[in-house]
Amino acid sequence: MSRYLVDKFLYTVDRDPELVERYRTDPLGTVTWWEAERANAVLNCTTGEASTWLRFTDEERDALASHDHVRLFALGAHPFLTLTLFIAMFERDHPEPMAYQKQYGLRLAHFSLPYPDIAT
């Protein structure tokens, strides 16, 4: 698993309001596009600098495309990156403040220590 690439996806999408909306409405299309067009870009560098070898595993791609934050956590995605992006996408669908965050936490409640390794 490439925790780095999953975290890079979560980080870069969360910082672009248009990508947040695109990922909310077309997750598979956004993941496919991002992997082909943005995955190998070197962040915070001059344009044109890129690597060529980074790719999601099938399991990562499926978890991202299905907005499955529980599986992403189990795979080692950083929970803060997942939480902030998913709040941007889904908090508006809940009638009360913090309702989405509570639901997010409840879905992770079955995990016990030690939590999945999130080091990249």
Side-chain angles (χ1 to χ4, degrees):
M1 167 181 170
S2 170
R3 286 185 210 115
Y4 168 78
L5 192 59
V6 171
D7 287 349
K8 182 179 177 181
F9 174 86
L10 297 169
Y11 176 85
T12 58
V13 171
D14 191 32
R15 273 135 193 86
D16 183 332
E18 290 178 15
L19 278 180
V20 170
E21 293 307 312
R22 182 175 174 178
Y23 183 44
R24 176 184 159 91
T25 59
D26 181 17
L28 179 58
T30 304
V31 170
T32 302
W33 170 84
W34 189 92
E35 186 175 17
E37 299 296 326
R38 299 271 179 99
N40 286 294
V42 178
L43 297 180
N44 303 316
C45 192
T46 59
T47 57
E49 293 291 328
S51 62
T52 58
W53 59 274
L54 295 171
R55 299 210 179 6
F56 294 125
T57 65
D58 290 341
E59 189 172 16
E60 293 165 344
R61 195 176 297 108
D62 184 58
L64 288 167
S66 60
H67 293 151
D68 190 343
H69 75 270
V70 175
R71 196 161 55 160
L72 289 167
F73 181 73
L75 288 169
H78 197 287
F80 179 77
L81 296 173
T82 307
L83 177 61
T84 57
L85 174 58
F86 281 43
I87 287 171
M89 292 192 302
F90 301 121
E91 184 176 45
R92 67 187 98 165
D93 298 334
H94 294 78
E96 297 177 26
M98 298 293 293
Y100 178 73
Q101 290 86 328
K102 290 175 183 176
Q103 175 191 349
Y104 179 99
L106 285 174
R107 291 191 59 211
L108 294 173
H110 67 282
F111 285 95
S112 60
L113 295 174
Y115 294 134
D117 183 10
I118 61 171
T120 55

